[in-house]
Amino acid sequence: MTPTNKELLFCALGGSGEIGMNVTLYGHAGKWLMVDCGVTFADSHYPGIDVILPDLRFIEERLDSLVGIVLTHGHEDHIGSLPYLAEDLGVPIYATAFTAGLVRGKLEEERIEERVKVRLVHARKPFKVGPFSVEVVPLSHSIPEANALLIDTPAGRVFHTGDWKLDPTPVIGKPSTPDELAAIGEQGVDVLVCDSTNVFNSEASGSEASVRQGLTESVARARGRVVVTTFASNAARLHTLAEVAKESGRRLCVTGRSLDRIIRVAKATGYLKDFPETIDVDAAMRMPRNKVLIIATGGQGEPRAALARIADGSHPVRLDMGDMVIFSAKQIPGNEVAVGRIQNQLAGKGVEMVTEKQAHVHVSGHPGRPELAKMYGWIRPNALLPVHGEMRHLMEHARYGQTQGIRDVLVQTNGDLVRLAPGAPRKIGDVPVGRLVLDGDVILPADGGTINDRRRIAVNGQVSVGIAVDRNGRAGGTPEVRIQGVPVEEEREPFLLEAAEAAAEAMKGRVRDRERLREDVRLAVRKVATRWTGKKPVIDVVIVQV
């Protein structure tokens, strides 16, 4: 599919029909513009995997027509894939200063900073990327420099919100005013491509400044150590916590690499200028318990983050009866089990926990219905395209937009090729989409052989059988059987003996095709395993010539 001069196309390769892994393509005049390139995080369906990447094969087959990547903001679900995919895409990345700082740090970690161009752009100053004119429009979110994009072409004009909220009293940054947004609407907007994450919320998300009082009150009544966990990227929350520590007479300690990175980049780009000098963990542990406030990563239950290690006792920060942990972040759907495990461990130590259900210690970075309605009123789009949500979010956003008078609404998901203009948006085709996994240093298909094998082994266990053949291909000797994850426990030795006998019987000492021999032994051993356990473990047969 090659976009013509007379049309503006849209295709989500991630982030539509799911929350996270946001990647969007806009097409016009034979060229494609990519907006964001994020990751999502794995669950138990992907054993041994932490990070999931988008499958970009559609645009990788059209690299000559890709003109650039423009970033809305620096959250992982919008920039996290760049260290692994940007070099192969081979086009410049456009970002404002804070986001560019985060991206450069990631590229440096992968040692590709010299091979990927990051170009600095400025708010409210349009720039050209191929046939696209792009203007960065500042909005509020839970990270500095979250921006909408005004994407203009002769075929059509789009306001792409990225992640956003309305905040009348932002702690950091200067979002666009209602008048500035209304001025964009007055110029005419064909399509509003809009965040759907909080569409079910009947109330506005609230101001970041409002959190300070709830945090101050919670810390004030704490008698021991206080650990606050929040999203590392929320620099405004870090500023607030620094103020809370000062007011409560506590020294501030920060633990977690991502927190260190955000603070460093924020200071380098003009934010957190008055952030206090922090103390290290050793110093924090030597101080009186009521004189320290610790900011830690891991509020979503991440197993290797600081909070998980604090909870299981493997971290230098030690908590005990009378200490407090404040979860200054919303629990992301799907993380309930991981967060619950940590909270149970903390409860077992006698630690008091405060979440947004007990006190006003968090506000969301996404728009509720009142905020959506205001944005519709300012931008006055001809059409609405919901993004950034699961199907239930997209459908509800579409219904809500219609109740607010938006003429045309289209629900699309990853892989739908949509013509935004001219005329009302409509689906015109499909493109290949999917998921990749980062497994160590290797990128693999999410549902390829490696991960499928790992799933089978995780469920059923694995049996290895070693057999010997002579130069003439005659099988003989005693097979050797080893098992992993097969549920035989105390009957392990009798099971191994019977499995070896079954393998020997299948061998019979006859000359035969090796592959036929391998399959006969595999089936014989699996039959024993199924009879003993009710499971069908993965059976590996190794033939050694002697």
Side-chain angles (χ1 to χ4, degrees):
M1 169 58 69
T2 300
T4 69
N5 294 347
K6 297 182 180 180
E7 64 183 353
L8 177 59
L9 303 184
F10 170 99
C11 185
L13 303 182
S16 284
E18 63 184 342
I19 292 179
M21 204 172 73
N22 299 287
V23 187
T24 302
L25 293 174
Y26 288 94
H28 174 68
K31 301 297 181 182
W32 293 95
L33 175 71
M34 182 179 290
V35 173
D36 294 333
C37 192
V39 298
T40 191
F41 297 99
D43 55 23
S44 58
H45 187 61
Y46 300 95
I49 303 299
D50 292 327
V51 174
I52 297 175
L53 314 173
D55 185 341
L56 303 182
R57 79 184 85 165
F58 171 75
I59 195 63
E60 287 173 344
E61 293 170 356
R62 296 163 174 80
L63 288 183
D64 289 345
S65 62
L66 182 65
V67 292
I69 305 169
V70 183
L71 304 179
T72 59
H73 65 285
H75 275 147
E76 287 296 303
D77 60 331
H78 291 256
I79 69 170
S81 285
L82 293 173
Y84 315 109
L85 304 178
E87 184 179 3
D88 289 339
L89 294 175
V91 294
I93 298 169
Y94 299 83
T96 54
F98 180 81
T99 304
L102 294 178
V103 170
R104 287 186 179 116
K106 290 178 172 293
L107 299 177
E108 287 169 2
E109 289 179 1
E110 294 298 314
R111 299 180 181 179
I112 59 172
E113 70 275 15
E114 299 297 326
R115 299 193 292 275
V116 178
K117 296 179 181 178
V118 180
R119 294 182 177 171
L120 196 64
V121 297
H122 302 280
R124 304 184 181 92
K125 293 184 178 181
F127 57 97
K128 293 284 288 184
V129 188
F132 304 90
S133 175
V134 183
E135 181 179 344
V136 170
V137 182
L139 296 177
S140 290
H141 186 42
S142 54
I143 190 172
E145 297 182 11
N147 300 299
L149 302 176
L150 185 61
I151 302 172
D152 199 359
T153 72
R157 199 161 182 252
V158 175
F159 191 78
H160 179 111
T161 68
D163 291 353
W164 67 282
K165 62 181 283 186
L166 297 180
D167 192 338
T169 54
V171 173
I172 285 179
K174 294 180 179 180
S176 299
T177 66
D179 287 345
E180 288 171 327
L181 294 171
I184 292 173
E186 289 172 4
Q187 296 168 14
V189 172
D190 293 292
V191 183
L192 174 65
V193 177
C194 190
D195 179 5
S196 308
T197 309
N198 276 355
V199 69
F200 289 103
N201 292 6
S202 60
E203 297 181 358
S205 294
S207 173
E208 180 64 34
S210 69
V211 177
R212 181 168 174 172
Q213 182 177 350
L215 287 167
T216 299
E217 291 173 354
S218 296
V219 173
R221 64 182 178 80
R223 296 293 175 261
R225 291 180 182 134
V226 175
V227 172
V228 182
T229 181
T230 189
F231 294 112
S233 57
N234 195 339
R237 192 69 49 82
L238 300 182
H239 171 83
T240 297
L241 289 170
E243 294 297 308
V244 170
K246 187 188 304 181
E247 290 178 17
S248 61
R250 293 173 180 259
R251 291 295 305 275
L252 193 64
C253 173
V254 174
T255 176
R257 286 181 58 200
S258 55
L259 282 166
D260 294 335
R261 183 185 305 115
I262 289 291
I263 292 171
R264 182 175 65 253
V265 175
K267 288 182 175 180
T269 50
Y271 304 104
L272 298 181
K273 290 182 178 179
D274 55 351
F275 199 76
E277 182 179 353
T278 60
I279 59 174
D280 61 27
V281 171
D282 290 339
M285 292 299 97
R286 292 194 299 268
M287 292 191 69
R289 305 183 80 88
N290 64 345
K291 294 296 181 183
V292 64
L293 188 154
I294 302 163
I295 306 176
T297 56
Q300 299 303 314
E302 303 96 315
R304 289 194 286 273
L307 186 62
R309 293 185 289 125
I310 290 170
D312 68 19
S314 62
H315 193 278
V317 171
R318 304 289 178 177
L319 298 182
D320 209 338
M321 185 76 68
D323 294 334
M324 177 184 288
V325 172
I326 301 174
F327 288 80
S328 185
K330 182 179 180 180
Q331 185 173 293
I332 296 174
N335 292 341
E336 294 86 356
V337 173
V339 174
R341 184 181 301 115
I342 289 173
Q343 291 179 341
N344 284 329
Q345 290 174 319
L346 293 170
K349 298 176 183 290
V351 173
E352 179 184 358
M353 283 166 283
V354 178
T355 72
E356 60 178 343
K357 295 180 180 179
Q358 288 81 45
H360 185 56
V361 295
H362 177 65
V363 290
S364 174
H366 300 272
R369 287 177 181 248
E371 294 154 286
L372 291 170
K374 288 181 179 179
M375 185 64 77
Y376 302 157
W378 295 324
I379 299 300
R380 291 183 291 171
N382 295 330
L384 169 67
L385 205 72
V387 293
H388 301 353
E390 298 171 359
M391 181 54 70
R392 58 195 174 98
H393 300 93
L394 303 183
M395 292 298 294
E396 184 65 18
H397 194 174
R399 284 190 285 266
Y400 184 66
Q402 288 176 321
T403 68
Q404 298 299 304
I406 298 181
R407 186 179 65 202
D408 296 309
V409 175
L410 178 67
V411 174
Q412 50 72 53
T413 58
N414 294 340
D416 288 348
L417 184 62
V418 175
R419 180 179 287 122
L420 297 180
R426 64 185 181 92
K427 179 179 174 180
I428 61 172
D430 298 283
V431 310
V433 292
R435 292 181 161 201
L436 306 172
V437 296
L438 181 64
D439 194 9
D441 294 328
V442 181
I443 296 176
L444 301 169
D447 293 306
T450 298
I451 302 302
N452 285 332
D453 284 349
R454 197 172 294 171
R455 290 174 183 139
R456 288 196 295 270
I457 292 170
V459 171
N460 294 299
Q462 188 259 352
V463 179
S464 296
V465 184
I467 60 177
V469 298
D470 60 22
R471 293 181 179 178
N472 298 317
R474 186 178 299 276
T478 302
E480 184 173 346
V481 181
R482 296 184 179 182
I483 60 175
Q484 295 186 85
V486 178
V488 289
E489 298 294 331
E490 295 178 359
E491 297 177 315
R492 181 184 182 93
E493 292 306 319
F495 170 79
L496 291 175
L497 179 60
E498 184 171 332
E501 290 173 350
E505 181 67 18
M507 291 160 58
K508 295 288 188 181
R510 296 192 299 269
V511 176
R512 65 181 68 188
D513 175 79
R514 285 197 179 193
E515 291 308 312
R516 176 66 184 275
L517 172 62
R518 191 191 310 276
E519 183 65 7
D520 287 348
V521 171
R522 188 186 72 82
L523 292 175
V525 173
R526 192 176 74 169
K527 184 176 181 180
V528 172
T530 302
R531 188 171 68 251
W532 275 68
T533 68
K535 287 180 168 288
K536 295 180 179 180
V538 175
I539 312 292
D540 289 325
V541 180
V542 179
I543 300 176
V544 180
Q545 182 173 311
V546 295

